[in-house]
């Protein structure tokens, strides 16, 4: 299959029709015309001459690989705008001079004005009529010709001009959405500085191989995923994560392709060729996401297929029934029939969804949230319950000291620090982070597996660890009560003692993410009615975390397969469910849930199976994404209702004989303007989105 960029693709309905024509070609059954992204995908075996003929009929052309896509659009837009302006000037000239000119003079000026704006539509419509193909162009051609035949030159000309404006506006909305999406693609670096034998050579990024060493200068883009081997700097990762604040990087730290080195010069080793890099995957998925049709869009496509023929039949009935059966004037009801054809144009209806969907996906991508298709955006808006894995999702995934019980103030911290400072255990790191390291050394420091540490200082023996590590002679009833209270509260306890007394107790817990509590509050405000936590931790720990952050329901002591079963149970009980996780053990549950949401710095398997990825690893982006999804859903619903509502009103006017041609075209153009503006409004990011760090 080959992929081509298209210029002049400004009509969703036309894109569907061109795709249908291409599928009829030999080897063309898999052809796709992707309106949202302005592309065509077709088999290499298809005769390109035949493809280009189909495209040319709609004024669409293939852009050369090195051509300027935007430039081609601008040329077509400028030509159409000039034609509309000249037509408008001619129309007003004819209107002002009408009474001074002979009939043929007025007719000629109106005809030229109408032809300038409507000749492309007219010729396409004639071809369609000859093939008995009824679409938008057919409707407009019949309406234009009919208006001039019955002598309504002025209104016929207004119809041609306003339809030209409508055509421009229809394309404008989608071009703006595509343009915003194209901004994301600009982060792709074209070249890299490859280091060999100490010499830097500029090469295309597709020439880089695994293990190559590259030089990244200040202000330069990282060409592909890499790891720093020399230098330190701050790096802007906004293109990948949506995080506007620079991230400090040094030797050993990973770099995302597409991120920007702010100041220092860095040497880095390539860890993924560009095609496999984070940036390439994101851009590929975002482009794919544009073309994933939602159930609403699929319904509109099916509806539009039957809509135009029905309008044609209705227009014929409006034209002939009143004169034949109720004594109406033929000229008046032919006029009303022509107005019905114009109001029947399904442009606004077809446009009501794609602009909003692409805008929603683009805005989310700018926030660092990758949504793999419009169908998942629509699903998120409808979902009322969401399940979270605990460790690494609601929590940091690393222990921290949350509570302390001190019995010997002079020695507790000092002895604990001496014993833990050389340990590599995560709990030891948490204790040292809390109390700091001291210079004094513990003698004869010994690790006892599964229990803790023991050592000697100034001839006195000390112990640190769990309850089993502490000598019976050290315990008091108060200490036992305090340990039980900490354990009941969900803490892991670490005790420091001498042979004769307990010095103090640390209450250790997986640290909550700072944003977790706000997250739950905001999700409730966004309409989530059941927020659930799934964890492998024991009941007391789960209860404490759930209580602290406001979780509605929690399930503890779950193995990976238990999480999968629980997701199935919750689906059966309450309907659609979303699942948020980060580890490989979450992948089955993410895949089973109606909507899988992965933390971006989690495992590749979790990201691969997820439908939505929080690239910045920041839960604060999730409530905003839910709000965007709900806004997209509202806008699509409003657009459909508005587009159909205007047509229903206009058709009722036609039945009563009060619909005019200019009212019909204004209603159709008004609907297009409104659905376009509403769809594009989704692109505007709030201050809250930009401020999240």
């Amino acid at each position: 299959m080959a992929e081509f960029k298209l210029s002049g693709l400004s009509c969703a309905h036309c894109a569907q029709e061109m795709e249908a024509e291409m599928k009829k070609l030999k080897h063309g059954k898999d052809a796709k015309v992707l309106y949202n992204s302005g592309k065509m995908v077709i088999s290499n075996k298809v005769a390109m001459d035949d493809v280009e003929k189909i495209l040319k009929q709609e004024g669409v052309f293939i852009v050369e690989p090195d051509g300027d896509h935007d430039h081609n659009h601008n040329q077509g837009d400028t030509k159409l705008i000039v034609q509309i302006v000249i037509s408008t000037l001619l129309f007003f000239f004819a209107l002002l001079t009408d009474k001074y000119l002979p009939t043929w003079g007025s007719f000629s000026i109106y005809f030229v004005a109408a032809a300038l704006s409507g000749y492309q539509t007219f010729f396409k419509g004639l071809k369609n009529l000859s093939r008995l193909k009824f679409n938008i162009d057919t409707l407009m051609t019949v309406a234009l010709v009919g208006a001039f035949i019955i002598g309504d030159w002025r209104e016929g000309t207004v119809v041609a001009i306003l339809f030209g404006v409508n055509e421009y506006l229809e394309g404008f909305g989608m071009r703006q959405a595509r343009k915003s999406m194209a901004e994301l693609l600009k982060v792709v670096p074209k070249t890299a500085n490859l280091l060999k034998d100490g010499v830097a050579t500029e090469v295309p990024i597709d020439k880089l191989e695994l293990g190559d060493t590259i030089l990244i200068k200040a202000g330069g883009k990282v060409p592909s995923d890499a790891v720093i081997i020399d230098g330190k700097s701050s790096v802007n990762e906004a293109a990948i994560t949506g995080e506007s604040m620079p991230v400090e990087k040094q030797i050993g730290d990973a770099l995302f392709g597409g991120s920007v080195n702010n100041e220092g010069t860095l040497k880095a080793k390539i860890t993924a060729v560009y095609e496999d890099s984070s940036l390439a995957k994101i851009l590929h998925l975002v482009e794919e996401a544009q073309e994933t049709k939602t159930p609403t869009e699929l319904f509109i496509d099916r509806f539009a297929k039957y809509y135009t023929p029905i309008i044609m039949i209705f227009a014929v009935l409006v034209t002939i029934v009143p004169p034949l059966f109720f004594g109406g004037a033929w000229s008046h009801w032919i006029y009303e029939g022509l107005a019905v054809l114009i109001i029947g144009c399904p442009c606004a209806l077809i446009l009501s969804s794609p602009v909003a969907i692409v805008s929603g996906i683009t805005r989310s991508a700018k926030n660092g949230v990758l949504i793999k298709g419009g169908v998942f955006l629509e699903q998120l808006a409808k979902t009322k319950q969401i399940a979270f894995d605990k460790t690494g999702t609601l929590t940091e995934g690393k222990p921290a000291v949350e509570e302390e019980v001190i019995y010997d103030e002079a020695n507790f911290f000092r002895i604990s620090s001496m014993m833990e400072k050389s340990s590599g255990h995560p709990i030891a790191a948490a204790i040292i982070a809390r109390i700091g390291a001291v210079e004094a050394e513990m003698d004869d420091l010994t690790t006892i597996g599964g229990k803790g540490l023991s050592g000697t200082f100034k001839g006195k023996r000390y112990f640190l660890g769990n309850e089993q590590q502490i000598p019976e002679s050290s315990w008091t009833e108060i200490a036992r009560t305090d340990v039980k209270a900490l354990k009941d509260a969900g803490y892991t306890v670490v005790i420091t003692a001498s042979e004769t007394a307990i010095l103090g107790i640390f209450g250790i817990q997986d640290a909550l993410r700072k944003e977790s509590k706000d997250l739950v509050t905001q999700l409730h405000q966004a309409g989530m009615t059941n927020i659930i936590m799934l964890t492998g931790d024991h009941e007391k720990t789960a209860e404490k975390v759930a209580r602290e952050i406001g979780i509605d329901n929690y399930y503890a002591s779950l193995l990976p397969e238990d999480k999968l079963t629980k997701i199935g149970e919750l689906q059966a009980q309450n309907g659609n469910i979303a699942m948020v996780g980060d580890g490989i053990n979450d992948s089955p549950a993410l895949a089973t849930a109606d909507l899988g949401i992965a933390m971006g710095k989690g495992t590749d398997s979790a990201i691969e199976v997820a439908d939505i990825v929080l690239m910045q690893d920041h839960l604060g982006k999730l409530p905003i994404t839910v709000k965007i999804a709900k806004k997209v859903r509202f806008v699509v619903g409003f657009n459909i209702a508005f587009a159909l509502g205007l047509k229903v009103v206009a058709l009722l006017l036609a039945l009563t004989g009060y619909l005019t041609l200019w009212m019909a075209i204004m209603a159709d153009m008004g609907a297009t303007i409104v659905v376009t503006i509403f769809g594009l409004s989704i692109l505007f990011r709030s201050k809250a989105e930009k401020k999240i760090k």
Side-chain angles (χ1 to χ4, degrees):
M1 301 294 284
E3 186 179 279
F4 300 91
K5 280 186 178 180
L6 299 178
S7 167
L9 187 62
S10 59
C11 164
H13 190 64
C14 307
Q16 293 171 2
E17 293 188 337
M18 287 189 290
E19 183 178 296
E21 289 294 318
M22 289 177 194
K23 286 182 183 292
K24 295 175 186 175
L25 299 175
K26 190 176 181 182
H27 307 298
K29 63 177 181 177
D30 296 320
K32 290 180 182 177
V33 178
L34 308 176
Y35 172 65
N36 291 0
S37 53
K39 291 182 178 179
M40 172 181 71
V41 179
I42 198 159
S43 169
N44 291 311
K45 296 178 181 178
V46 174
M48 287 308 294
D49 287 346
D50 294 335
V51 172
E52 287 175 357
K53 281 179 188 174
I54 293 170
L55 294 174
K56 194 174 179 182
Q57 286 175 357
E58 300 294 342
V60 178
F61 302 93
I62 294 172
V63 178
E64 294 302 318
D66 297 324
D68 186 338
H69 197 200
D70 289 336
H71 178 68
N72 285 320
H73 275 317
N74 292 338
Q75 272 191 326
D77 290 347
T78 303
K79 182 182 176 183
L80 182 57
I81 290 168
V82 168
Q83 287 174 338
I84 291 169
V85 169
I86 294 172
S87 294
T88 305
L89 291 173
L90 286 172
F91 170 77
F92 281 111
F93 175 76
L95 196 64
L96 293 171
T97 60
D98 209 346
K99 56 186 175 183
Y100 306 113
L101 294 174
T103 303
W104 63 267
S106 294
F107 172 83
S108 300
I109 298 172
Y110 283 126
F111 181 81
V112 171
L116 266 175
S117 289
Y119 75 92
Q120 288 176 318
T121 301
F122 176 75
F123 286 122
K124 283 190 277 189
L126 283 181
K127 285 180 184 176
N128 291 337
L129 275 172
S130 67
R131 292 179 290 178
L132 296 177
K133 178 180 170 185
F134 301 103
N135 65 3
I136 299 162
D137 297 315
T138 316
L139 295 180
M140 295 308 296
T141 298
V142 172
L144 278 172
V145 171
F148 272 86
I149 287 174
I150 64 174
D152 281 308
W153 309 331
R154 292 178 192 172
E155 294 199 20
T157 306
V158 172
V159 166
I161 292 170
L162 291 181
F163 187 70
V165 173
N166 195 42
E167 196 175 5
Y168 170 77
L169 289 171
E170 185 186 355
F172 175 79
M174 203 64 226
R175 284 194 296 277
Q176 289 303 110
R178 287 181 199 145
K179 187 178 177 182
S180 187
M181 182 64 78
E183 292 295 318
L184 295 173
L185 307 182
K186 288 181 182 177
V187 301
V188 180
K190 300 290 189 289
T191 60
N193 291 314
L194 179 63
L195 269 179
K196 278 191 178 177
D197 302 322
V199 179
T201 310
E202 194 171 292
V203 298
I205 60 169
D206 57 4
K207 299 296 182 186
L208 292 176
E209 297 177 359
L210 284 177
D212 279 349
T213 301
I214 55 171
L215 187 71
I216 309 157
K217 297 176 183 177
K221 288 180 181 176
V222 179
S224 189
D225 292 355
V227 62
I228 298 173
I229 58 174
D230 186 37
K232 62 179 181 177
S233 178
S234 65
V235 176
N236 184 337
E237 297 181 341
I240 311 298
T241 66
E243 170 59 81
S244 58
M245 295 298 290
V247 181
E248 296 297 325
K249 300 279 185 177
Q250 57 187 355
I251 293 172
D253 286 343
L255 297 171
F256 289 120
S259 54
V260 179
N261 178 21
N262 283 337
E263 61 257 350
T265 298
L266 298 173
K267 286 182 185 176
K269 184 172 285 187
I270 295 294
T271 55
V273 294
Y274 176 70
E275 289 79 8
D276 300 325
S277 69
S278 303
L279 179 64
K281 287 176 182 175
I282 289 169
L283 297 179
H284 176 67
L285 287 169
V286 168
E287 284 200 302
E288 276 191 344
Q290 294 180 78
E291 302 304 336
T292 307
K293 291 203 172 185
T294 67
T296 303
E297 287 181 293
L298 293 171
F299 167 75
I300 290 171
D301 287 350
R302 288 195 299 271
F303 180 77
K305 185 178 177 182
Y306 303 104
Y307 174 80
T308 305
I310 289 170
I311 285 294
M312 292 287 288
I313 293 167
F314 186 76
V316 170
L317 292 174
V318 166
T319 302
I320 64 173
V321 170
L324 286 178
F325 300 101
F326 302 103
W330 279 100
S331 59
H332 176 75
W333 289 103
I334 289 172
Y335 178 91
E336 289 297 324
L338 296 176
V340 167
L341 290 180
I342 293 168
I343 198 62
C345 173
C347 299
L349 181 64
I350 293 169
L351 200 63
S352 59
S353 185
V355 174
I357 293 288
V358 172
S359 295
I361 291 171
T362 304
R363 177 170 162 186
S364 298
K366 287 181 177 179
N367 287 337
V369 179
L370 174 61
I371 299 174
K372 296 182 180 178
V375 64
F376 305 121
L377 199 63
E378 190 169 284
Q379 183 78 283
L380 181 61
K382 294 188 289 187
T383 301
K384 295 292 183 183
Q385 61 174 346
I386 185 166
F388 289 87
D389 169 57
K390 181 182 81 72
T391 305
T393 304
L394 293 171
T395 65
E396 296 283 0
K398 57 184 180 183
V401 175
E402 297 288 337
E403 293 285 343
E404 296 150 4
V405 180
I406 303 171
Y407 305 119
D408 185 341
E409 217 165 309
N411 292 308
F412 177 42
F413 282 178
R414 187 165 63 96
I415 295 299
S416 300
S417 179
M418 289 165 62
M419 298 186 80
E420 292 282 44
K421 69 179 183 178
S422 58
S423 173
H425 195 281
I427 287 180
I431 290 172
I432 294 300
R434 170 69 184 87
I435 65 177
V438 295
E439 291 184 10
E441 296 290 335
M442 181 73 66
D443 298 325
D444 191 24
L445 190 64
T446 306
T447 301
I448 299 158
K451 294 183 178 181
L453 303 166
S454 70
T456 305
F457 180 66
K458 292 184 179 180
K460 194 172 182 179
R461 195 81 178 158
Y462 292 96
F463 306 87
L464 183 146
N466 59 27
E467 295 157 275
Q468 295 174 303
Q469 174 67 353
I470 308 305
E472 190 65 32
S473 57
S474 305
W475 286 99
T476 64
E477 283 304 312
I478 292 173
R480 289 190 188 280
T481 302
D482 288 340
V483 166
K484 184 178 185 303
L486 286 170
K487 291 179 76 174
D488 286 347
Y491 293 109
T492 298
V493 295
V494 175
I495 308 158
T496 306
S498 68
E499 290 178 297
T500 58
I502 291 178
L503 307 180
I505 310 164
F506 293 106
I508 310 288
Q509 188 181 48
D510 185 3
L512 282 173
R513 287 179 180 269
K514 288 180 287 185
E515 70 267 24
S516 291
K517 190 171 182 179
D518 284 342
L519 164 80
V520 174
T521 302
Q522 289 172 22
L523 285 176
H524 278 135
Q525 291 171 349
M528 291 288 179
T529 54
N530 189 22
I531 300 176
I532 305 141
M533 182 176 72
L534 307 177
T535 178
D537 280 347
H538 57 78
E539 182 80 14
K540 291 291 183 183
T541 301
E543 182 186 6
K544 184 177 186 299
V545 171
R547 188 174 61 251
E548 280 188 31
I549 63 177
I551 292 287
D552 296 315
N553 293 291
Y554 67 90
Y555 303 91
S557 304
L558 299 177
L559 297 171
E561 55 268 30
D562 297 330
K563 290 182 182 179
L564 187 66
T565 304
K566 185 56 67 178
I567 288 290
E569 289 174 5
L570 290 165
Q571 278 175 321
Q573 291 167 13
N574 308 313
N576 287 359
I577 186 169
M579 168 73 188
V580 185
D582 75 321
I584 193 167
N585 61 323
D586 297 321
S587 299
L590 288 171
T592 303
D594 299 283
L595 199 63
I597 303 171
M599 306 293 282
K601 291 180 183 173
T603 61
D604 285 345
S605 60
I607 294 171
E608 202 66 38
V609 300
D611 308 309
I612 297 174
V613 182
L614 307 176
M615 294 308 298
Q616 194 185 325
D617 212 22
H618 194 307
L619 288 170
K621 301 286 188 180
L622 185 54
I624 287 172
T625 308
V626 173
K627 288 176 183 175
I628 291 170
K630 286 182 178 295
K631 184 170 183 181
V632 168
R633 189 184 184 202
F634 169 78
V635 166
V636 169
F638 175 85
N639 283 350
I640 292 170
F642 186 77
L644 286 176
L646 268 183
K647 293 185 187 305
V648 169
V649 170
L651 292 174
L652 289 174
L653 285 173
L655 286 174
T656 57
Y658 290 107
L659 183 66
T660 63
L661 289 178
W662 69 265
M663 284 167 60
I665 194 66
M666 284 300 287
D668 186 54
M669 188 174 72
T672 300
I673 292 170
V674 169
V675 302
T676 299
I677 290 172
F678 263 58
L680 290 177
S681 71
I682 295 168
L683 285 171
F684 297 110
R685 297 166 72 201
S686 67
K687 290 180 181 178
E689 289 170 68
K690 297 174 184 177
K691 284 180 180 177
I692 287 185
K693 305 275 191 303

